[in-house]
Amino acid sequence: MPEIDREFTVRGGQIMRLPFGTVGGVGALAARAGQPAQVRLFIDAPGGASGPRTLPLGAEFALANGTWTVAEIDSAGRSEWSVRLRRTD
């Protein structure tokens, strides 16, 4: 299985058009008292729901090739941030 099928990184403002869906980096909020860091992604899964979603670290979502997890949010709250997404099934 190619690496992109298991894990990939999306940066703020970047759109990843993949064979199994499209993921775009909209924004990232830093952790606050009692709330984990969150990332706002535009997710378009073929045959599935499409639109922006706000996801905390550890949240799962579906793309056409399986279930993915927000594995890491780097520099949340800053202008240059990234999120690592990892396939979990």
Side-chain angles (χ1 to χ4, degrees), residues 4-86:
I4 197 88
D5 285 346
R6 290 179 284 166
E7 184 174 284
F8 63 95
T9 298
V10 177
R11 289 170 176 68
Q14 180 181 29
I15 298 172
M16 301 280 297
R17 289 182 176 88
L18 306 162
F20 45 86
T22 299
V23 179
V26 178
L29 301 170
R32 290 183 262 173
Q35 299 216 356
Q38 297 180 10
V39 65
R40 183 129 174 105
L41 301 175
F42 178 85
I43 299 170
D44 184 15
S50 173
R53 297 193 43 199
T54 301
L55 305 165
L57 189 64
E60 294 184 339
F61 63 94
L63 290 175
N65 70 339
T67 302
W68 290 78
T69 299
V70 177
E72 179 183 346
I73 302 171
D74 187 38
S75 299
R78 296 188 174 177
S79 60
E80 293 187 27
W81 58 271
S82 64
V83 60
R84 181 172 303 280
L85 304 172
R86 187 172 296 134

